[in-house]
Amino acid sequence: MTSFQPETIAGQAPPADSVHPRESSTDAPTSVSRLNDTIRGFIERWGSVWVEGEITSFNRRGGNVFGRLKDLGTESTVAFRIWSSTLNRLPPDLKVGDRVVACVKADYFPRTGDFSFAVSAMRHVGLGEQLERLERLRVQLRSEGLFDPVRKKKLPFLPHCIGLITGENSDAEKDVHRNAELRWPRVNFRTKYAAVQGERCVPETLAALKALDADPEVDVIVIARGGGDPQTLLGFSDERLVRAVASASTPIVSAIGHENDRPLLDDVADVRASTPTDAAKRVVPDVAEQRAIVAQLRARLTGRLTQRVLHDIAQLEQIRSRPALRTPHSMLTSRAQELWMLSNRGRDIVDRRLESERRRTRELSAGLRALSPLATLARGYAIVQSDSGSVVRDARDAPAGGALKITVEQGTLAARSEGALPDDRPLDAEAPGDGATARPA
């Protein structure tokens, strides 16, 4: 503690360092340093106390831990520090949300006027009430399938319009806009502002989500906040909001906090982004990267086409260099003798077949002529028919005066019967065949 030595000068106000805070006045104020040292001396007399509460902040910096401890029944909190030498003696699994009993000693820093408690011992006594309630809700929602990856929707490759739900003039909004526009300058946003903590957080976020989900131009919705301790993120674990996100028809990206923060909204959203910056990188592609991909694909296509054309040209040259195509008339020359032999053989076969058929035709013609009645007529016989057209076989069938038709080899004669001769006799032995009566012409 600083040693204050009063140096009073007659007729002047005493130096501020020489005035005790209890003796200060308008004319004789005390100094800030004297006030802080007085406060520190008073606090040091408190000693150590055991306190129970819930860890709401647990940040490691330089081997030490700086955090806050919350009352189990009210919203009261105190700051605490755990030095690295003490941290090595504590349970290694201490984290945000743990319900603990800690031995703390009040400490006041005169230089900065900061007040906190130094922890000398800390042990678990069970989950904090809020964390326990959230864990029960997490288990229930998981059993209902709200966290199932199968039900989560895929983000569009290039959304025409991005819906953004965040705090007004927040760093999260600036991060999303800046990083998305860097990746894709022509990106469009439709922003709905909502409280990101406190009692208004859930109803305003629900209203903004309903409006953006009903907008047909919005292709994806980002809910963004710049992190925080579990106490300030409770709204994003509200069951009403979680179920509304699960039933939304538009893909939703959760960008609520840093990597260590994990509200229930992260589990039910279609995509979880660790930060608003990460969300911007997930919802739009990088235009430079896409141009590089297009250029790479063009180069691959050009290379493939060039390779294919060169291959085909080489094949064509190889085919053209073959003897058959270099001197194509040689193919005809080598086949000419074979073609001449085949044509001669064909003519011989046809001639023999024609001669055979001619011979057979003559034989059939001779047989036909031998059997034909015309051959009989050629030997001087005739066929006599009555006027009714029936063949006269008996002289009695041609009574006197009856009209007759006589067919000879060359033509037909009309005649009239004189009747049968007295010395008529049958000529069956000389008949040329059945069904005809022939007489010498």
Side-chain angles (χ1 to χ4, degrees), residues 2 6 67 80 107 127 142-143 163 223 236 242 277 308 316 399 408 424:
T2 303
F80 67 82
D107 198 359
L127 287 174
R142 181 178 287 109
S143 65
I223 304 177
F236 298 100
V242 171
T277 300
R308 180 60 184 268
L316 182 60
V408 295
D424 191 21

Side-chain angles (χ1 to χ4, degrees), residues 332-342:
L332 300 177
T333 304
S334 62
R335 303 286 290 183
Q337 182 66 25
E338 182 180 356
L339 182 62
W340 179 79
M341 293 177 61
L342 290 175

Side-chain angles (χ1 to χ4, degrees), residues 419-436:
L421 296 177
D423 59 348
D424 191 21
R425 53 186 174 82
L427 298 175
D428 293 340
E430 299 180 10
D434 294 341

Side-chain angles (χ1 to χ4, degrees), residues 95-171:
K95 62 183 182 300
V96 172
D98 288 355
R99 181 177 175 182
V100 297
V101 171
C103 181
V104 299
K105 184 178 180 180
D107 198 359
Y108 187 80
F109 293 88
R111 188 172 62 84
T112 60
D114 292 334
F115 176 82
S116 66
F117 289 89
V119 176
S120 59
M122 184 178 287
R123 61 182 178 83
H124 292 96
V125 292
L127 287 174
E129 181 182 355
Q130 292 177 341
L131 181 59
E132 186 178 0
R133 184 168 61 253
L134 289 181
E135 288 302 318
R136 288 198 300 267
L137 180 58
R138 191 188 303 273
V139 172
Q140 176 187 346
L141 296 177
R142 181 178 287 109
S143 65
E144 294 179 12
L146 267 64
F147 301 164
D148 192 347
V150 176
R151 57 155 292 276
K152 296 189 178 183
K153 296 173 283 296
K154 188 176 180 180
L155 298 184
F157 170 71
L158 181 59
H160 295 88
C161 182
I162 300 173
L164 178 61
I165 301 175
T166 187
E168 189 172 3
N169 296 324
S170 63
D171 291 337

Side-chain angles (χ1 to χ4, degrees), residues 53-124:
E54 179 183 344
I55 299 176
T56 59
S57 178
F58 200 82
N59 300 316
R60 299 176 184 266
R61 293 201 299 268
N64 305 316
V65 172
F66 299 85
R68 299 195 71 83
L69 200 64
K70 177 183 172 296
D71 185 73
L72 298 178
T74 65
E75 298 299 319
S76 300
T77 63
V78 293
F80 67 82
R81 298 188 312 277
I82 306 176
W83 302 118
S84 58
S85 57
T86 304
L87 186 63
N88 296 331
R89 302 194 307 268
L90 301 184
D93 57 345
L94 290 171
K95 62 183 182 300
V96 172
D98 288 355
R99 181 177 175 182
V100 297
V101 171
C103 181
V104 299
K105 184 178 180 180
D107 198 359
Y108 187 80
F109 293 88
R111 188 172 62 84
T112 60
D114 292 334
F115 176 82
S116 66
F117 289 89
V119 176
S120 59
M122 184 178 287
R123 61 182 178 83
H124 292 96

Side-chain angles (χ1 to χ4, degrees), residues 99-312:
R99 181 177 175 182
V100 297
V101 171
C103 181
V104 299
K105 184 178 180 180
D107 198 359
Y108 187 80
F109 293 88
R111 188 172 62 84
T112 60
D114 292 334
F115 176 82
S116 66
F117 289 89
V119 176
S120 59
M122 184 178 287
R123 61 182 178 83
H124 292 96
V125 292
L127 287 174
E129 181 182 355
Q130 292 177 341
L131 181 59
E132 186 178 0
R133 184 168 61 253
L134 289 181
E135 288 302 318
R136 288 198 300 267
L137 180 58
R138 191 188 303 273
V139 172
Q140 176 187 346
L141 296 177
R142 181 178 287 109
S143 65
E144 294 179 12
L146 267 64
F147 301 164
D148 192 347
V150 176
R151 57 155 292 276
K152 296 189 178 183
K153 296 173 283 296
K154 188 176 180 180
L155 298 184
F157 170 71
L158 181 59
H160 295 88
C161 182
I162 300 173
L164 178 61
I165 301 175
T166 187
E168 189 172 3
N169 296 324
S170 63
D171 291 337
E173 178 186 9
K174 297 174 184 176
D175 287 345
V176 172
H177 276 268
R178 181 173 59 254
N179 287 280
E181 289 168 359
L182 285 174
R183 292 173 65 83
W184 199 271
R186 297 180 64 86
V187 64
N188 294 319
F189 281 94
R190 191 154 298 171
T191 305
K192 296 289 184 180
Y193 295 113
V196 292
Q197 66 183 59
E199 297 179 355
R200 295 167 37 225
C201 175
V202 175
E204 291 185 7
T205 304
L206 284 172
L209 176 62
K210 183 178 180 181
L212 292 177
D213 191 35
D215 192 336
E217 296 183 1
V218 175
D219 298 322
V220 62
I221 299 174
V222 178
I223 304 177
R225 187 192 191 283
D229 59 74
Q231 185 69 24
T232 59
L233 298 181
L234 284 177
F236 298 100
S237 293
D238 188 271
E239 184 175 1
R240 294 170 296 170
L241 178 58
V242 171
R243 293 190 181 277
V245 170
S247 60
S249 58
T250 307
I252 295 179
V253 178
S254 172
I256 299 306
H258 301 292
E259 195 64 35
N260 294 331
D261 304 326
R262 192 87 181 184
L264 294 180
L265 180 62
D266 285 349
D267 295 322
V268 76
D270 298 296
V271 173
R272 182 207 179 235
S274 58
T275 62
T277 300
D278 183 38
K281 294 179 179 180
R282 288 174 176 266
V283 295
V284 293
D286 187 349
V287 63
E289 181 181 339
Q290 297 305 314
R291 285 175 176 172
I293 292 175
V294 171
Q296 182 182 6
L297 292 176
R298 283 179 174 174
R300 288 175 58 187
L301 179 60
T302 302
R304 292 288 182 87
L305 288 176
T306 303
Q307 182 181 3
R308 180 60 184 268
V309 170
L310 293 176
H311 177 265
D312 290 346

Side-chain angles (χ1 to χ4, degrees), residues 342-400:
L342 290 175
S343 60
N344 286 342
R345 181 182 176 187
R347 282 194 295 269
D348 291 343
I349 293 174
V350 171
D351 290 343
R352 287 197 299 270
R353 185 62 181 269
L354 288 175
E355 183 60 30
S356 175
E357 294 302 324
R358 288 192 191 100
R359 187 168 52 253
R360 177 174 172 77
T361 301
R362 287 194 296 270
E363 292 175 354
L364 292 175
S365 298
L368 182 59
R369 284 194 298 270
L371 297 175
S372 174
L374 294 178
T376 304
L377 295 179
R379 294 198 303 268
Y381 289 88
I383 299 174
V384 180
Q385 294 173 286
S386 63
D387 56 356
S388 62
S390 60
V391 176
V392 178
R393 298 177 181 275
D394 193 336
R396 293 189 295 271
D397 294 336

